[in-house]
């Protein structure tokens, strides 16, 4: 088939990421179709990873210590998804010509695909941090890992905010990025509180926990209408309240310290996860 015939082919896809899941957009050419197929495959990998992450969230710490493979599997799926997004961007989206990016489905716009890759990496990093918490990693190192996830989510949000081609991003996507960042920030503040408590600075530890609780409560309001996110933040609020009760009692009775007027300085984020490169031929072989 020659290039002209390839361009003559036309397909139709919906664009949930543009906030119009019931509207069909016309996609011309095999390259565009290949790009959309990649995006769909990456989304399927993320769906599998999310299912594993939800299972992990339902386990207590003792059970989680016996599930290292599940943490690794969930993180690997997100890393693979990030690799597929990068492949789609480099191999297909970058080759699209003709129609302006704003006239394409959101999934075929370079900045959107970049943001999706960063978001998948952020989810993988968050799982990595969660596994570190289960393994009783030192609080300061744990805070750095959660801050690494925050950095990736913030990078994805920044790409969308600064892009002229993805102004009509679905509100649900923007909200997920914001809530993901906030959730990991809450976890980072909790880790920092544990670090300060280990240094016998209970006044600063209580200030950190109060900030974590404030952010979790605020995020609960933002998440109205989404029971999963509300439950996740409410669980953190319950944990923080219990931890704050212990720390505040020690602050008053043992250390005679006032609650600090400022919070800890967040550590620099540390990102451990790496994108898993997508190899289409390898996938073809696996599928037979």
């Amino acid at each position: 088939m020659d290039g002209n015939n390839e361009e003559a082919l036309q397909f139709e896809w919906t664009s949930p990421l543009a906030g119009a899941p019931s509207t069909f957009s016309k996609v011309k050419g095999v390259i565009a179709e290949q790009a959309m197929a990649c995006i769909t495959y990456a989304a399927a990998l993320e769906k599998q990873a999310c299912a594993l992450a939800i299972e992990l969230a339902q386990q207590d710490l003792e059970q989680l210590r016996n599930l290292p493979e599940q943490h690794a599997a969930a993180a690997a799926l997100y890393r693979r998804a990030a690799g597929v997004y990068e492949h789609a961007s480099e191999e297909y989206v970058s080759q699209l010509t003709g129609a302006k990016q704003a006239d394409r489905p959101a999934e075929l716009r370079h900045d959107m695909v970049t943001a999706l890759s960063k978001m998948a990496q952020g989810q993988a990093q968050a799982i990595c941090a969660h596994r570190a918490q289960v393994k009783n990693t030192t609080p300061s190192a744990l805070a750095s890992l959660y801050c690494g996830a925050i950095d990736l989510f913030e990078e994805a949000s920044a790409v969308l905010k600064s892009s002229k081609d993805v102004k009509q991003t679905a509100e649900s996507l923007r909200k997920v990025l914001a809530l993901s960042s906030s959730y990991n920030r809450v976890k980072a503040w909790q880790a920092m509180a544990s670090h300060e408590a280990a240094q016998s600075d209970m006044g600063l530890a209580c200030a950190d926990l109060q900030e974590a609780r404030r952010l979790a409560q605020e995020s609960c309001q933002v998440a109205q209408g989404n029971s999963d996110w509300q439950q996740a933040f409410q669980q953190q609020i319950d944990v923080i309240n219990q931890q704050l009760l212990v720390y505040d009692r020690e602050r008053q009775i043992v250390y005679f310290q006032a609650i600090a007027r400022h919070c800890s300085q967040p550590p620099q984020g540390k990102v451990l996860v790496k994108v898993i490169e997508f190899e289409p031929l390898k996938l073809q072989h696996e599928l037979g």
Side-chain angles (χ1 to χ4, degrees):
M1 180 181 292
D2 61 34
N4 290 332
N5 287 333
E6 286 186 7
E7 287 298 320
L9 293 174
Q10 184 167 285
F11 308 89
E12 287 189 340
W13 287 81
T14 58
S15 181
L17 295 179
S22 60
T23 301
F24 282 88
S25 298
K26 296 186 185 301
V27 177
K28 293 183 178 181
V30 172
I31 292 177
E33 176 71 359
Q34 288 173 315
M36 290 298 287
C38 275
I39 302 301
T40 303
Y41 176 56
L45 291 174
E46 288 186 288
K47 187 174 182 179
Q48 293 179 52
C50 184
L52 288 177
I54 289 173
E55 288 181 20
L56 289 169
Q58 294 171 344
Q59 311 294 326
D60 59 35
L61 283 178
E62 192 58 41
Q63 292 172 314
L64 288 171
R65 290 190 179 98
N66 299 319
L67 296 172
E69 299 85 1
Q70 195 156 339
H71 273 100
L77 284 166
Y78 277 123
R79 291 165 58 210
R80 285 175 60 192
V84 176
Y85 285 127
E86 287 193 354
H87 179 83
S89 177
E90 294 168 3
E91 297 297 324
Y92 303 123
V93 175
S94 62
Q95 295 185 45
L96 295 178
T97 58
K100 295 180 180 179
Q101 286 205 49
D103 296 329
R104 305 174 192 163
E107 291 78 358
L108 294 185
R109 301 173 199 172
H110 182 268
D111 288 338
M112 175 63 79
V113 182
T114 299
L116 291 174
S117 180
K118 289 289 184 184
M119 182 176 175
Q121 292 175 60
Q123 298 290 8
Q125 176 68 23
I127 290 173
C128 175
H130 187 235
R131 179 59 187 165
Q133 183 175 355
V134 171
K135 293 171 66 178
N136 292 321
T137 299
T138 60
S140 58
L142 183 61
S144 289
L145 293 176
Y146 278 118
C147 286
I150 295 167
D151 290 343
L152 289 165
F153 289 126
E154 292 296 328
E155 286 176 25
S157 294
V159 169
L160 295 179
K161 288 177 182 177
S162 63
S163 175
K164 297 179 180 180
D165 296 316
V166 289
K167 290 182 178 180
Q168 294 183 335
T169 307
E171 181 183 353
S172 58
L173 176 61
R174 295 196 303 272
K175 184 176 286 189
V176 166
L177 281 169
L179 291 174
S180 296
S181 180
S182 294
Y183 184 83
N184 285 276
R185 201 177 300 278
V186 168
K187 300 289 286 186
W189 280 123
Q190 288 176 261
M192 286 305 299
S194 296
H195 172 72
E196 300 301 346
Q199 304 299 315
S200 300
D201 194 339
M202 304 308 294
L204 189 52
C206 288
D208 289 347
L209 285 179
Q210 288 181 343
E211 176 61 18
R213 183 173 60 184
R214 181 200 66 77
L215 180 57
Q217 290 172 336
E218 183 180 281
S219 299
C220 247
Q221 295 296 316
V222 174
Q224 280 189 352
N226 189 315
S227 59
D228 291 336
W229 273 113
Q230 284 192 307
Q231 182 179 1
F233 281 109
Q234 187 57 55
Q235 286 176 344
Q236 292 309 307
I237 291 170
D238 294 341
V239 169
I240 291 167
N241 284 336
Q242 292 176 10
Q243 194 175 4
L244 189 55
L245 190 65
V246 174
Y247 283 8
D248 200 43
R249 185 183 296 116
E250 290 187 21
R251 175 187 68 80
Q252 296 180 65
I253 298 175
V254 179
Y255 294 95
F256 304 102
Q257 296 173 349
I259 295 179
R261 295 183 179 181
H262 59 87
C263 298
S264 299
Q265 182 69 30
Q268 183 175 357
K270 184 174 183 179
V271 177
L272 296 182
V273 298
K274 294 183 179 179
V275 171
I276 296 178
E277 184 179 354
F278 178 50
E279 301 178 65
L281 293 179
K282 183 178 179 181
L283 177 62
Q284 274 186 330
H285 178 72
E286 291 174 354
L287 296 176

